[in-house]
Amino acid sequence: QVQLAESGGGSVQAGGSLQISCVISGETWTACDMGWYRQAPGEERELVSSIKMDDGTTRYADSVKGRFTISQANAKKTLLLQMNSLKTEDTAVYYCAARRCGLVDFNYWGQGTQVTVSS
């Protein structure tokens, strides 16, 4: 089992920056990918960014490319998402996620942290 705990959400004005964090614990060696999803009211959950645990390969949704940066810290026990040039449409609950090696989909989830961007 892998446990995920997000922190760092909050409110910011459009154009501002925010960093959210996710502490990973438990059987961390079983996770092959880590990522950030978000879900806005009335919308489906979408993948924002992900990173491969072995080689650090990253990918981003088109909507956040050039503005968001995913990274790891603390011997890969902390997942970060630096969000710059925030837009009102970035408002959502952001979820940390992990994919167990051998599975197709992300299967471990944090409780979520709210990010609100006001105009």
Side-chain angles (χ1 to χ4, degrees), residues 32-49:
C32 276
D33 289 273
M34 299 294 303
W36 289 98
Y37 280 74
R38 68 185 180 187
Q39 186 168 23
E43 302 288 334
E44 292 188 355
R45 190 174 296 189
E46 63 170 348
L47 178 65
V48 176
S49 182

Side-chain angles (χ1 to χ4, degrees), residues 82-117:
Q82 176 66 40
M83 302 180 289
N84 298 327
S85 302
L86 282 160
K87 305 176 181 180
T88 55
E89 52 264 42
D90 294 319
T91 295
V93 177
Y94 284 70
Y95 296 91
C96 180
R99 180 182 68 81
R100 186 179 180 91
C101 299
L103 299 183
V104 174
D105 298 320
F106 285 84
N107 61 305
Y108 297 114
W109 298 90
Q111 80 284 358
T113 186
Q114 177 70 46
V115 171
T116 302
V117 184

Side-chain angles (χ1 to χ4, degrees), residues 18-36:
L18 201 63
Q19 185 180 75
I20 54 178
S21 303
C22 173
V23 174
I24 308 151
S25 60
E27 298 177 333
T28 59
W29 60 90
T30 65
C32 276
D33 289 273
M34 299 294 303
W36 289 98

